[in-house]
Amino acid sequence: MKDFIDVDEKLPVLKTIPLSLQHLFAMVGATILVPMITGLSPSIALFCSGVGTLLYILCTKARLPAYVGSSFAFIGPMGVATKAYGQSSMLSGIIAAGLVYVIVALIIKLVGIKWINRLLPPVVVGSVVIVIGLSLASVAIQWSGLNSTFTSPALEGISRGTWIFISMTTLAVAIAGTMYFKGFFGVVPILIAMVVGYILSIIFGAIPSETLNQIGSAKLIRLPSFVLPTFNINAIMLMAPIAFVTLAEHIGHVYVTSNVCGRDFAKDPGLHRSILGDGVATMFAGFVGGPPNTTYGENIGVMAITKVYSVWVIGGAAIIAIILSFIGPVSEVIGNIPLPVIGGVSVMLFGIIASSGFRIFVEDKVDFSKKRNLIIASVIIVLGIGGGGINFKFAGADVEIAGLALATLVGIVLNLVLPQTSRSGDN
């Protein structure tokens, strides 16, 4: 007798709901953290993750159990684009990134996947992932209270010491949970840490009484904060190239999910369908004011623990997320998570992103004794973290490619043009 629930098996509602909640809890912490960092509404992020997951299920013919949520890879470019061009213009960059996914899915359908491996080898992907994490490091330090020059009007009522205590306790719980929690609790340490930090914030006055009153008096039903996009070529040029990095992450998730479920999802329903689903979900988010979406590794962990691989369970989690996004008190609670709590978990999360780049180097045995790899990684990291950019005119408009987008594009070009061995004769 088998000890797992297969992909297309439908469960009774009373069994589906608790399993769906496990998937939702596994991703909700990270999903709401991205919009809070980038100035978007957490409720719209929940809404977009739910609708995006249903769109993903539709695109994959309900054959691939995966939940999509907010992507951390876009945090830096989203912040830059919002500050420079405005939130609605930034959303056009999200739509463009989703369109890149759709185009890549079409090309994979026609010619296969080998070209992606040529375009995005581990040395390029790993270097860009390192830049994504390290470029956010200063933000985590500020929000955790460790930068004495950084202040926030929302925290004027508490001392710097209290601020640091809350953030570091939150960080400690996240670290302890990641290291020592087992079973389902082992896949939701971020959520648990944020709950602990929230409680501490209430105790020490980091959440003003008027905010608590606002939460208590919130209307039961309230629409998420929808925002319409505005076309902006600069935001598009800034954010679209990041899709090539998240593509590598997405492909990795599909292969890991295949191993967990004992299926070859790259063939059925096909990698092109999975990438298409991610792209459609991201484009939808851009059209309504949400962050770009990506498949979540946390939900793969939930499936590995529960041995329930049913797409029906994933769909149930998506529907619950949509419902929660319309509940006013829930929106107020997640929309008022204090800065020290966000800062505490960000110290670990942003560091994990950067470390994931080094992990790619190790797992794929990138040889840095070769000058080619050394040059590609070095140029990507300096261009990405240095904050420089280039400006030019396109169709009469001033266009800028800067930061991570510039680093990604230059890295791709260097990988294509540099020879495997140097002319000097050595590596």
Side-chain angles (χ1 to χ4, degrees), residues 197-226:
Y198 209 108
I199 294 172
L200 286 176
S201 298
I202 294 174
I203 294 173
F204 288 98
I207 302 179
S209 57
E210 53 267 26
T211 300
L212 295 175
N213 293 333
Q214 183 179 330
I215 294 172
S217 61
K219 291 183 178 180
L220 181 60
I221 304 299
R222 187 174 68 185
L223 288 175
S225 303
F226 296 108

PDB file of all heavy atoms in Angstrom, residues 197-226:
ATOM      1  N   GLY A 197       8.641  38.010  17.050  1.00  0.00           N
ATOM      2  CA  GLY A 197       9.030  39.415  16.981  1.00  0.00           C
ATOM      3  C   GLY A 197       7.842  40.347  17.101  1.00  0.00           C
ATOM      4  O   GLY A 197       7.937  41.413  17.739  1.00  0.00           O
ATOM      5  N   TYR A 198       6.720  39.963  16.516  1.00  0.00           N
ATOM      6  CA  TYR A 198       5.499  40.778  16.585  1.00  0.00           C
ATOM      7  C   TYR A 198       5.021  40.890  18.035  1.00  0.00           C
ATOM      8  O   TYR A 198       4.660  41.976  18.509  1.00  0.00           O
ATOM      9  CB  TYR A 198       4.414  40.138  15.722  1.00  0.00           C
ATOM     10  CG  TYR A 198       3.421  41.107  15.132  1.00  0.00           C
ATOM     11  CD1 TYR A 198       3.431  41.411  13.786  1.00  0.00           C
ATOM     12  CD2 TYR A 198       2.463  41.730  15.925  1.00  0.00           C
ATOM     13  CE1 TYR A 198       2.520  42.296  13.225  1.00  0.00           C
ATOM     14  CE2 TYR A 198       1.551  42.617  15.386  1.00  0.00           C
ATOM     15  CZ  TYR A 198       1.581  42.894  14.028  1.00  0.00           C
ATOM     16  OH  TYR A 198       0.688  43.783  13.498  1.00  0.00           O
ATOM     17  N   ILE A 199       5.037  39.754  18.736  1.00  0.00           N
ATOM     18  CA  ILE A 199       4.605  39.753  20.144  1.00  0.00           C
ATOM     19  C   ILE A 199       5.523  40.630  20.989  1.00  0.00           C
ATOM     20  O   ILE A 199       5.069  41.423  21.824  1.00  0.00           O
ATOM     21  CB  ILE A 199       4.562  38.309  20.689  1.00  0.00           C
ATOM     22  CG1 ILE A 199       3.473  37.501  19.976  1.00  0.00           C
ATOM     23  CG2 ILE A 199       4.324  38.306  22.199  1.00  0.00           C
ATOM     24  CD1 ILE A 199       3.483  36.028  20.302  1.00  0.00           C
ATOM     25  N   LEU A 200       6.836  40.516  20.771  1.00  0.00           N
ATOM     26  CA  LEU A 200       7.790  41.351  21.503  1.00  0.00           C
ATOM     27  C   LEU A 200       7.560  42.834  21.199  1.00  0.00           C
ATOM     28  O   LEU A 200       7.682  43.687  22.088  1.00  0.00           O
ATOM     29  CB  LEU A 200       9.226  40.964  21.135  1.00  0.00           C
ATOM     30  CG  LEU A 200       9.762  39.651  21.706  1.00  0.00           C
ATOM     31  CD1 LEU A 200      11.155  39.375  21.151  1.00  0.00           C
ATOM     32  CD2 LEU A 200       9.800  39.698  23.228  1.00  0.00           C
ATOM     33  N   SER A 201       7.226  43.121  19.951  1.00  0.00           N
ATOM     34  CA  SER A 201       6.988  44.514  19.559  1.00  0.00           C
ATOM     35  C   SER A 201       5.785  45.098  20.290  1.00  0.00           C
ATOM     36  O   SER A 201       5.783  46.270  20.675  1.00  0.00           O
ATOM     37  CB  SER A 201       6.773  44.597  18.042  1.00  0.00           C
ATOM     38  OG  SER A 201       7.916  44.154  17.347  1.00  0.00           O
ATOM     39  N   ILE A 202       4.763  44.295  20.497  1.00  0.00           N
ATOM     40  CA  ILE A 202       3.585  44.750  21.242  1.00  0.00           C
ATOM     41  C   ILE A 202       3.956  44.994  22.707  1.00  0.00           C
ATOM     42  O   ILE A 202       3.601  46.014  23.302  1.00  0.00           O
ATOM     43  CB  ILE A 202       2.448  43.713  21.138  1.00  0.00           C
ATOM     44  CG1 ILE A 202       1.948  43.614  19.695  1.00  0.00           C
ATOM     45  CG2 ILE A 202       1.296  44.089  22.074  1.00  0.00           C
ATOM     46  CD1 ILE A 202       0.921  42.522  19.472  1.00  0.00           C
ATOM     47  N   ILE A 203       4.736  44.040  23.277  1.00  0.00           N
ATOM     48  CA  ILE A 203       5.119  44.149  24.687  1.00  0.00           C
ATOM     49  C   ILE A 203       5.970  45.396  24.940  1.00  0.00           C
ATOM     50  O   ILE A 203       5.783  46.113  25.926  1.00  0.00           O
ATOM     51  CB  ILE A 203       5.887  42.883  25.133  1.00  0.00           C
ATOM     52  CG1 ILE A 203       4.958  41.664  25.096  1.00  0.00           C
ATOM     53  CG2 ILE A 203       6.471  43.060  26.532  1.00  0.00           C
ATOM     54  CD1 ILE A 203       5.665  40.344  25.345  1.00  0.00           C
ATOM     55  N   PHE A 204       6.916  45.678  24.033  1.00  0.00           N
ATOM     56  CA  PHE A 204       7.862  46.780  24.251  1.00  0.00           C
ATOM     57  C   PHE A 204       7.435  48.085  23.578  1.00  0.00           C
ATOM     58  O   PHE A 204       8.210  49.043  23.553  1.00  0.00           O
ATOM     59  CB  PHE A 204       9.253  46.380  23.761  1.00  0.00           C
ATOM     60  CG  PHE A 204       9.933  45.362  24.635  1.00  0.00           C
ATOM     61  CD1 PHE A 204       9.897  44.018  24.306  1.00  0.00           C
ATOM     62  CD2 PHE A 204      10.590  45.741  25.795  1.00  0.00           C
ATOM     63  CE1 PHE A 204      10.520  43.072  25.112  1.00  0.00           C
ATOM     64  CE2 PHE A 204      11.208  44.814  26.603  1.00  0.00           C
ATOM     65  CZ  PHE A 204      11.170  43.468  26.269  1.00  0.00           C
ATOM     66  N   GLY A 205       6.242  48.131  23.034  1.00  0.00           N
ATOM     67  CA  GLY A 205       5.718  49.383  22.501  1.00  0.00           C
ATOM     68  C   GLY A 205       6.222  49.769  21.130  1.00  0.00           C
ATOM     69  O   GLY A 205       6.114  50.937  20.740  1.00  0.00           O
ATOM     70  N   ALA A 206       6.769  48.815  20.382  1.00  0.00           N
ATOM     71  CA  ALA A 206       7.225  49.123  19.019  1.00  0.00           C
ATOM     72  C   ALA A 206       6.046  49.263  18.060  1.00  0.00           C
ATOM     73  O   ALA A 206       6.205  49.782  16.954  1.00  0.00           O
ATOM     74  CB  ALA A 206       8.175  48.034  18.521  1.00  0.00           C
ATOM     75  N   ILE A 207       4.880  48.780  18.483  1.00  0.00           N
ATOM     76  CA  ILE A 207       3.651  48.989  17.724  1.00  0.00           C
ATOM     77  C   ILE A 207       2.792  49.968  18.519  1.00  0.00           C
ATOM     78  O   ILE A 207       2.327  49.644  19.604  1.00  0.00           O
ATOM     79  CB  ILE A 207       2.883  47.672  17.508  1.00  0.00           C
ATOM     80  CG1 ILE A 207       3.771  46.651  16.788  1.00  0.00           C
ATOM     81  CG2 ILE A 207       1.614  47.926  16.703  1.00  0.00           C
ATOM     82  CD1 ILE A 207       3.087  45.319  16.576  1.00  0.00           C
ATOM     83  N   PRO A 208       2.593  51.186  18.027  1.00  0.00           N
ATOM     84  CA  PRO A 208       1.824  52.189  18.770  1.00  0.00           C
ATOM     85  C   PRO A 208       0.405  51.709  19.069  1.00  0.00           C
ATOM     86  O   PRO A 208      -0.162  50.910  18.320  1.00  0.00           O
ATOM     87  CB  PRO A 208       1.813  53.393  17.814  1.00  0.00           C
ATOM     88  CG  PRO A 208       2.966  53.179  16.897  1.00  0.00           C
ATOM     89  CD  PRO A 208       3.097  51.702  16.746  1.00  0.00           C
ATOM     90  N   SER A 209      -0.166  52.212  20.141  1.00  0.00           N
ATOM     91  CA  SER A 209      -1.519  51.814  20.538  1.00  0.00           C
ATOM     92  C   SER A 209      -2.543  52.167  19.469  1.00  0.00           C
ATOM     93  O   SER A 209      -3.521  51.442  19.256  1.00  0.00           O
ATOM     94  CB  SER A 209      -1.893  52.478  21.869  1.00  0.00           C
ATOM     95  OG  SER A 209      -1.792  53.892  21.763  1.00  0.00           O
ATOM     96  N   GLU A 210      -2.309  53.303  18.759  1.00  0.00           N
ATOM     97  CA  GLU A 210      -3.249  53.685  17.709  1.00  0.00           C
ATOM     98  C   GLU A 210      -3.258  52.676  16.564  1.00  0.00           C
ATOM     99  O   GLU A 210      -4.284  52.443  15.920  1.00  0.00           O
ATOM    100  CB  GLU A 210      -2.951  55.091  17.166  1.00  0.00           C
ATOM    101  CG  GLU A 210      -1.533  55.318  16.697  1.00  0.00           C
ATOM    102  CD  GLU A 210      -0.654  55.897  17.795  1.00  0.00           C
ATOM    103  OE1 GLU A 210      -0.959  55.669  18.984  1.00  0.00           O
ATOM    104  OE2 GLU A 210       0.324  56.568  17.438  1.00  0.00           O
ATOM    105  N   THR A 211      -2.084  52.046  16.320  1.00  0.00           N
ATOM    106  CA  THR A 211      -2.015  51.009  15.288  1.00  0.00           C
ATOM    107  C   THR A 211      -2.796  49.775  15.708  1.00  0.00           C
ATOM    108  O   THR A 211      -3.506  49.166  14.903  1.00  0.00           O
ATOM    109  CB  THR A 211      -0.552  50.620  15.008  1.00  0.00           C
ATOM    110  OG1 THR A 211       0.160  51.775  14.548  1.00  0.00           O
ATOM    111  CG2 THR A 211      -0.466  49.529  13.948  1.00  0.00           C
ATOM    112  N   LEU A 212      -2.659  49.404  16.982  1.00  0.00           N
ATOM    113  CA  LEU A 212      -3.422  48.270  17.503  1.00  0.00           C
ATOM    114  C   LEU A 212      -4.915  48.544  17.427  1.00  0.00           C
ATOM    115  O   LEU A 212      -5.712  47.650  17.096  1.00  0.00           O
ATOM    116  CB  LEU A 212      -3.003  47.969  18.945  1.00  0.00           C
ATOM    117  CG  LEU A 212      -1.560  47.487  19.141  1.00  0.00           C
ATOM    118  CD1 LEU A 212      -1.235  47.344  20.624  1.00  0.00           C
ATOM    119  CD2 LEU A 212      -1.335  46.156  18.428  1.00  0.00           C
ATOM    120  N   ASN A 213      -5.312  49.788  17.732  1.00  0.00           N
ATOM    121  CA  ASN A 213      -6.723  50.164  17.618  1.00  0.00           C
ATOM    122  C   ASN A 213      -7.190  50.097  16.174  1.00  0.00           C
ATOM    123  O   ASN A 213      -8.319  49.697  15.884  1.00  0.00           O
ATOM    124  CB  ASN A 213      -6.941  51.570  18.172  1.00  0.00           C
ATOM    125  CG  ASN A 213      -6.718  51.648  19.668  1.00  0.00           C
ATOM    126  OD1 ASN A 213      -6.881  50.663  20.377  1.00  0.00           O
ATOM    127  ND2 ASN A 213      -6.328  52.824  20.150  1.00  0.00           N
ATOM    128  N   GLN A 214      -6.293  50.491  15.282  1.00  0.00           N
ATOM    129  CA  GLN A 214      -6.615  50.453  13.854  1.00  0.00           C
ATOM    130  C   GLN A 214      -6.846  49.015  13.390  1.00  0.00           C
ATOM    131  O   GLN A 214      -7.748  48.742  12.598  1.00  0.00           O
ATOM    132  CB  GLN A 214      -5.458  51.088  13.071  1.00  0.00           C
ATOM    133  CG  GLN A 214      -5.677  51.178  11.572  1.00  0.00           C
ATOM    134  CD  GLN A 214      -4.497  51.845  10.881  1.00  0.00           C
ATOM    135  OE1 GLN A 214      -3.815  52.687  11.457  1.00  0.00           O
ATOM    136  NE2 GLN A 214      -4.252  51.448   9.642  1.00  0.00           N
ATOM    137  N   ILE A 215      -6.028  48.101  13.914  1.00  0.00           N
ATOM    138  CA  ILE A 215      -6.194  46.682  13.575  1.00  0.00           C
ATOM    139  C   ILE A 215      -7.530  46.170  14.108  1.00  0.00           C
ATOM    140  O   ILE A 215      -8.271  45.468  13.403  1.00  0.00           O
ATOM    141  CB  ILE A 215      -5.034  45.846  14.154  1.00  0.00           C
ATOM    142  CG1 ILE A 215      -3.709  46.223  13.462  1.00  0.00           C
ATOM    143  CG2 ILE A 215      -5.304  44.347  13.993  1.00  0.00           C
ATOM    144  CD1 ILE A 215      -2.492  45.586  14.093  1.00  0.00           C
ATOM    145  N   GLY A 216      -7.846  46.537  15.337  1.00  0.00           N
ATOM    146  CA  GLY A 216      -9.078  46.067  15.958  1.00  0.00           C
ATOM    147  C   GLY A 216     -10.332  46.614  15.316  1.00  0.00           C
ATOM    148  O   GLY A 216     -11.391  45.966  15.348  1.00  0.00           O
ATOM    149  N   SER A 217     -10.243  47.806  14.737  1.00  0.00           N
ATOM    150  CA  SER A 217     -11.427  48.447  14.155  1.00  0.00           C
ATOM    151  C   SER A 217     -11.511  48.285  12.640  1.00  0.00           C
ATOM    152  O   SER A 217     -12.385  48.882  12.006  1.00  0.00           O
ATOM    153  CB  SER A 217     -11.439  49.940  14.501  1.00  0.00           C
ATOM    154  OG  SER A 217     -10.282  50.588  13.975  1.00  0.00           O
ATOM    155  N   ALA A 218     -10.613  47.496  12.067  1.00  0.00           N
ATOM    156  CA  ALA A 218     -10.596  47.324  10.609  1.00  0.00           C
ATOM    157  C   ALA A 218     -11.868  46.627  10.137  1.00  0.00           C
ATOM    158  O   ALA A 218     -12.406  45.748  10.815  1.00  0.00           O
ATOM    159  CB  ALA A 218      -9.370  46.506  10.193  1.00  0.00           C
ATOM    160  N   LYS A 219     -12.338  47.030   8.969  1.00  0.00           N
ATOM    161  CA  LYS A 219     -13.519  46.389   8.384  1.00  0.00           C
ATOM    162  C   LYS A 219     -13.209  44.926   8.076  1.00  0.00           C
ATOM    163  O   LYS A 219     -12.100  44.582   7.659  1.00  0.00           O
ATOM    164  CB  LYS A 219     -13.930  47.111   7.099  1.00  0.00           C
ATOM    165  CG  LYS A 219     -14.477  48.503   7.325  1.00  0.00           C
ATOM    166  CD  LYS A 219     -14.919  49.119   6.004  1.00  0.00           C
ATOM    167  CE  LYS A 219     -15.514  50.511   6.220  1.00  0.00           C
ATOM    168  NZ  LYS A 219     -15.944  51.126   4.949  1.00  0.00           N
ATOM    169  N   LEU A 220     -14.213  44.073   8.263  1.00  0.00           N
ATOM    170  CA  LEU A 220     -14.003  42.641   8.059  1.00  0.00           C
ATOM    171  C   LEU A 220     -13.631  42.338   6.609  1.00  0.00           C
ATOM    172  O   LEU A 220     -12.714  41.553   6.349  1.00  0.00           O
ATOM    173  CB  LEU A 220     -15.265  41.862   8.444  1.00  0.00           C
ATOM    174  CG  LEU A 220     -15.166  40.330   8.306  1.00  0.00           C
ATOM    175  CD1 LEU A 220     -14.063  39.776   9.194  1.00  0.00           C
ATOM    176  CD2 LEU A 220     -16.499  39.682   8.627  1.00  0.00           C
ATOM    177  N   ILE A 221     -14.311  42.967   5.676  1.00  0.00           N
ATOM    178  CA  ILE A 221     -14.034  42.737   4.260  1.00  0.00           C
ATOM    179  C   ILE A 221     -13.488  44.025   3.652  1.00  0.00           C
ATOM    180  O   ILE A 221     -14.100  45.094   3.777  1.00  0.00           O
ATOM    181  CB  ILE A 221     -15.297  42.296   3.493  1.00  0.00           C
ATOM    182  CG1 ILE A 221     -15.912  41.046   4.128  1.00  0.00           C
ATOM    183  CG2 ILE A 221     -14.965  42.045   2.026  1.00  0.00           C
ATOM    184  CD1 ILE A 221     -14.989  39.834   4.126  1.00  0.00           C
ATOM    185  N   ARG A 222     -12.338  43.910   2.995  1.00  0.00           N
ATOM    186  CA  ARG A 222     -11.724  45.089   2.385  1.00  0.00           C
ATOM    187  C   ARG A 222     -10.935  44.669   1.146  1.00  0.00           C
ATOM    188  O   ARG A 222     -10.215  43.668   1.172  1.00  0.00           O
ATOM    189  CB  ARG A 222     -10.794  45.779   3.387  1.00  0.00           C
ATOM    190  CG  ARG A 222     -10.253  47.107   2.887  1.00  0.00           C
ATOM    191  CD  ARG A 222      -9.456  47.808   3.970  1.00  0.00           C
ATOM    192  NE  ARG A 222      -8.221  47.115   4.281  1.00  0.00           N
ATOM    193  CZ  ARG A 222      -7.394  47.464   5.255  1.00  0.00           C
ATOM    194  NH1 ARG A 222      -7.709  48.478   6.046  1.00  0.00           N
ATOM    195  NH2 ARG A 222      -6.283  46.798   5.472  1.00  0.00           N
ATOM    196  N   LEU A 223     -11.067  45.429   0.089  1.00  0.00           N
ATOM    197  CA  LEU A 223     -10.352  45.098  -1.150  1.00  0.00           C
ATOM    198  C   LEU A 223      -8.853  45.296  -0.977  1.00  0.00           C
ATOM    199  O   LEU A 223      -8.414  46.241  -0.306  1.00  0.00           O
ATOM    200  CB  LEU A 223     -10.838  45.994  -2.297  1.00  0.00           C
ATOM    201  CG  LEU A 223     -12.242  45.722  -2.863  1.00  0.00           C
ATOM    202  CD1 LEU A 223     -12.587  46.783  -3.898  1.00  0.00           C
ATOM    203  CD2 LEU A 223     -12.319  44.336  -3.478  1.00  0.00           C
ATOM    204  N   PRO A 224      -8.046  44.425  -1.566  1.00  0.00           N
ATOM    205  CA  PRO A 224      -6.597  44.669  -1.594  1.00  0.00           C
ATOM    206  C   PRO A 224      -6.293  45.968  -2.327  1.00  0.00           C
ATOM    207  O   PRO A 224      -7.121  46.467  -3.103  1.00  0.00           O
ATOM    208  CB  PRO A 224      -6.053  43.450  -2.358  1.00  0.00           C
ATOM    209  CG  PRO A 224      -7.114  42.407  -2.254  1.00  0.00           C
ATOM    210  CD  PRO A 224      -8.410  43.152  -2.216  1.00  0.00           C
ATOM    211  N   SER A 225      -5.094  46.493  -2.105  1.00  0.00           N
ATOM    212  CA  SER A 225      -4.721  47.785  -2.708  1.00  0.00           C
ATOM    213  C   SER A 225      -4.204  47.576  -4.130  1.00  0.00           C
ATOM    214  O   SER A 225      -3.002  47.402  -4.359  1.00  0.00           O
ATOM    215  CB  SER A 225      -3.655  48.472  -1.848  1.00  0.00           C
ATOM    216  OG  SER A 225      -4.105  48.650  -0.532  1.00  0.00           O
ATOM    217  N   PHE A 226      -5.119  47.614  -5.092  1.00  0.00           N
ATOM    218  CA  PHE A 226      -4.736  47.423  -6.492  1.00  0.00           C
ATOM    219  C   PHE A 226      -4.089  48.694  -7.040  1.00  0.00           C
ATOM    220  O   PHE A 226      -4.504  49.808  -6.730  1.00  0.00           O
ATOM    221  CB  PHE A 226      -5.958  47.061  -7.339  1.00  0.00           C
ATOM    222  CG  PHE A 226      -6.586  45.746  -6.965  1.00  0.00           C
ATOM    223  CD1 PHE A 226      -7.807  45.716  -6.304  1.00  0.00           C
ATOM    224  CD2 PHE A 226      -5.960  44.547  -7.266  1.00  0.00           C
ATOM    225  CE1 PHE A 226      -8.400  44.514  -5.958  1.00  0.00           C
ATOM    226  CE2 PHE A 226      -6.540  43.339  -6.918  1.00  0.00           C
ATOM    227  CZ  PHE A 226      -7.751  43.317  -6.267  1.00  0.00           C
TER     228      PHE A 226
END
